[in-house]
Amino acid sequence: MKELLILGAGTSGTMMANHLVKKLPKKEWTVSIVDQYKTHYYQPGFLFLPFDIYKEDQVKKVGKKFIPKGVNYIQKKIEKILPEANKVELEDETLNYDVLIIATGSKIAPQETEGLLGPLWRKDIFDFYTFEGALALRNKLRAWEGGKMVIHITEMPIKCPVAPLEFTFLADSYFREKGMRDKVDITYVTPLSGAFTKPTCTKALNYLLEEKDIKIKTDFAIMEVDNDQKQIVDYVDKAIPFDLLITIPTNMGDAVIERSGMGDDLNFVPTNKHTLQSKAHQNIFVIGDATNVPASKAGSVAHFEAETLADNIVLFTKGYKLKEEFDGHANCFIETGGNKALLIDFNYEQEPVHGTFPFAKVGPLKLLKESVFNHWGKLAFRWIYWNMLLKAIPIPFVGRNMSFKGKIFDIKSD
Ligand SMILES: Cc1cc2nc3c(=O)[nH]c(=O)nc-3n(C[C@H](O)[C@H](O)[C@H](O)COP(=O)(O)OP(=O)(O)OC[C@H]3O[C@@H](n4cnc5c(N)ncnc54)[C@H](O)[C@@H]3O)c2cc1C
């Protein structure tokens, strides 16, 4: 028997286990998956926890439930990958592999910024990119009486690059509903030169920031968090004061990638952006947030990648040429508050544009325009995630590569 080993049972690893158990001949291949934790989190739900929109049990389930029969599930920490020996060391055993899939994701690294983990951490400084952080922030917001709220991105890339903006818009709505918006001064601070990584999208989002009276500070490269003065300071000595700081710390690949000498500066694995094969080792493939491909780090991207990667693993096991197919397709709802959302659909080459999705003219979802329908789409994604996406059940009408149907290219995006 040959061994296919998947590292990480988050969004990407779980999808790959479900795809490959169906695609690889059972008489020839054993499929195994390793993860350190029992709980699988629906991370997009972390955005809603601080505002009491979702409860804890809506965003977590036992991970093993989503691993199909016929796949060995190993709940252990991965210590080291030994790519030259085709082995992976766990805490107390060593596994061999013929083909390896790295799906170890990315996580926040607050220790990378001076002062971030100082005395104010989880008192007046919070993240919402972890389950614990989102819950601590929820408790803080329930009792907060107002002041200067600063939402801050440390550096790119981060997972779900739209999430900080969504948080900002939802905060505006939350305080309006509580009748205390006039007591809160909201500032959005980014290292980018605009609200988002994509210029057309930035235009639409700037308008919304203005409409909601949210200040934006761009090109802010943080040097330190000054806990005494309660301010963030950048390399040219600009300082932004806060009463409540919500920060998106540096995002990094897992330390196992560093220990194995397989990553870049941020522990992301150099990966072919069209085939998802590791650049350094032919029998290693990488998917989701763990890669260094220039696509968004998002569950939707991992879902599209998984379809191409499942085909490529089968081709690889048969000795055929890989498909150079993955186009960077990303599909993201952006919550804008007041029960509305925008939708954007783009890939490596194509910026988000106006139009309808998934069907031309009829939609029903609107691209780059706020609608209540888009908001329901965002909420429906949670059901789709648990019931279809993780189980690798095809989502009707949403193709792996970006479709140009319904997109409007000949009018200005504003
Ligand atoms: C606040 C927030 C909002 C988001 N919103 C959206 C959204 O609206 N839409 C969207 O598409 N995406 C969204 N995302 C992003 C999405 O959740 C991730 O892109 C997706 O989960 C990536 O999947 P992954 O499998 O690559 O990584 P993960 O799902 O993080 O899985 C990695 C797994 O590897 C395991 N692992 C890592 N290292 C080790 C080790 N050494 N030993 C054992 N196990 C290990 C981890 O325990 C984990 O289970 C959001 C993320 C956040 C944080």
Side-chain angles (χ1 to χ4, degrees):
M1 291 291 277
K2 290 187 181 154
E3 303 281 343
L4 181 126
L5 180 59
I6 304 170
L7 302 183
T11 313
S12 310
T14 303
M15 284 189 293
M16 288 314 297
N18 280 289
H19 274 296
L20 291 172
V21 78
K22 291 178 220 146
K23 291 196 173 223
L24 292 176
K26 288 186 180 44
K27 287 190 181 140
E28 289 172 38
W29 285 90
T30 304
V31 180
S32 304
I33 186 163
V34 189
D35 200 292
Q36 60 204 329
Y37 301 126
K38 205 172 157 193
T39 305
H40 184 119
Y41 290 103
Y42 172 61
Q43 297 176 42
F46 296 171
L47 173 70
F48 297 106
L49 283 177
F51 304 110
D52 271 319
I53 299 171
Y54 283 171
K55 302 274 166 272
E56 290 97 307
D57 58 3
Q58 291 178 298
V59 303
K60 59 176 194 165
K61 292 190 193 284
V62 174
K64 201 176 167 187
K65 265 180 61 177
F66 300 93
I67 305 302
K69 266 196 197 134
V71 172
N72 301 322
Y73 178 79
I74 304 165
Q75 197 203 313
K76 283 184 186 168
K77 187 174 174 207
I78 306 151
E79 292 295 348
K80 200 168 181 180
I81 305 165
L82 306 168
E84 308 308 332
N86 293 336
K87 289 180 192 301
V88 172
E89 287 176 357
L90 308 185
E91 23 183 284
D92 56 2
E93 63 176 310
T94 300
L95 305 176
N96 296 310
Y97 64 82
D98 294 286
V99 175
L100 183 72
I101 299 175
I102 300 179
T104 43
S106 71
K107 55 187 186 186
I108 59 163
Q111 70 280 4
E112 294 290 308
T113 303
E114 203 182 323
L116 193 49
L117 290 176
L120 297 183
W121 179 246
R122 301 253 161 106
K123 290 196 179 73
D124 293 317
I125 302 176
F126 294 84
D127 80 283
F128 68 96
Y129 266 49
T130 57
F131 182 66
E132 299 73 25
L135 285 186
L137 179 55
R138 178 195 67 186
N139 297 341
K140 176 76 182 184
L141 288 180
R142 280 178 181 172
W144 198 50
E145 289 178 356
K148 292 189 185 72
M149 172 184 260
V150 171
I151 296 122
H152 161 255
I153 302 171
T154 304
E155 62 176 313
M156 302 305 279
I158 56 171
K159 33 186 172 186
C160 196
V162 293
L165 269 167
E166 294 183 280
F167 182 93
T168 308
F169 293 137
L170 288 177
D172 169 75
S173 268
Y174 176 82
F175 295 124
R176 276 179 209 278
E177 271 167 36
K178 280 182 119 182
M180 56 179 284
R181 180 62 180 89
D182 56 335
K183 297 201 177 89
V184 184
D185 178 48
I186 306 180
T187 307
Y188 182 77
V189 183
T190 168
L192 300 171
S193 52
F196 190 52
T197 48
K198 308 273 166 196
T200 48
C201 202
T202 294
K203 272 192 189 172
L205 295 167
N206 274 344
Y207 167 75
L208 287 170
L209 289 168
E210 235 176 87
E211 188 185 78
K212 294 173 196 293
D213 192 23
I214 296 163
K215 300 185 187 86
I216 174 164
K217 301 265 191 225
T218 56
D219 302 305
F220 191 91
I222 192 167
M223 184 179 71
E224 63 159 334
V225 180
D226 178 346
N227 282 250
D228 295 332
Q229 301 294 321
K230 285 185 95 169
Q231 56 184 15
I232 48 175
V233 183
D234 80 352
Y235 282 96
V236 288
D237 260 359
K238 264 190 282 172
I240 299 174
F242 63 84
D243 295 305
L244 181 57
L245 176 68
I246 290 104
T247 185
I248 291 78
T250 299
N251 280 208
M252 293 180 78
D254 193 84
V256 67
I257 303 299
E258 189 181 11
R259 288 195 293 273
S260 311
M262 294 177 74
D264 61 17
D265 289 355
L266 290 171
N267 298 344
F268 296 124
V269 185
T271 306
N272 180 305
K273 70 178 191 174
H274 295 300
T275 63
L276 304 171
Q277 188 176 40
S278 139
K279 287 192 175 167
H281 303 93
Q282 284 198 346
N283 62 341
I284 299 184
F285 295 82
V286 197
I287 179 167
D289 294 354
T291 75
N292 77 335
V293 305
S296 287
K297 294 198 181 297
S300 67
V301 173
H303 161 74
F304 300 131
E305 286 176 340
E307 298 194 357
T308 294
L309 183 54
D311 289 350
N312 271 348
I313 298 268
V314 173
L315 290 172
F316 182 80
T317 60
K318 292 181 175 165
Y320 296 145
K321 188 174 180 298
L322 304 181
K323 286 188 198 170
E324 297 195 7
E325 182 186 62
F326 180 61
D327 66 349
H329 189 193
N331 185 278
C332 308
F333 290 102
I334 308 177
E335 278 294 302
T336 52
N339 296 331
K340 289 188 186 160
L342 294 171
L343 176 64
I344 53 174
D345 192 53
F346 56 98
N347 68 13
Y348 288 138
E349 310 295 334
Q350 180 59 54
E351 289 262 327
V353 289
H354 282 287
T356 52
F357 185 87
F359 302 110
K361 296 200 175 91
V362 286
L365 302 169
K366 288 199 172 85
L367 294 169
L368 262 183
K369 265 213 169 92
E370 275 187 296
S371 82
V372 174
F373 218 90
N374 288 342
H375 166 68
W376 288 114
K378 173 98 180 181
L379 296 187
F381 188 62
R382 182 167 59 92
W383 187 91
I384 293 173
Y385 184 87
W386 292 125
N387 294 289
M388 298 178 79
L389 194 127
L390 285 181
K391 296 176 182 168
I393 296 171
I395 299 174
F397 314 118
V398 184
R400 63 178 74 169
N401 286 351
M402 198 186 97
S403 158
F404 288 83
K405 274 188 220 150
K407 300 212 163 58
I408 303 172
F409 298 96
D410 55 349
I411 61 162
K412 281 192 184 156
S413 56
D414 54 355

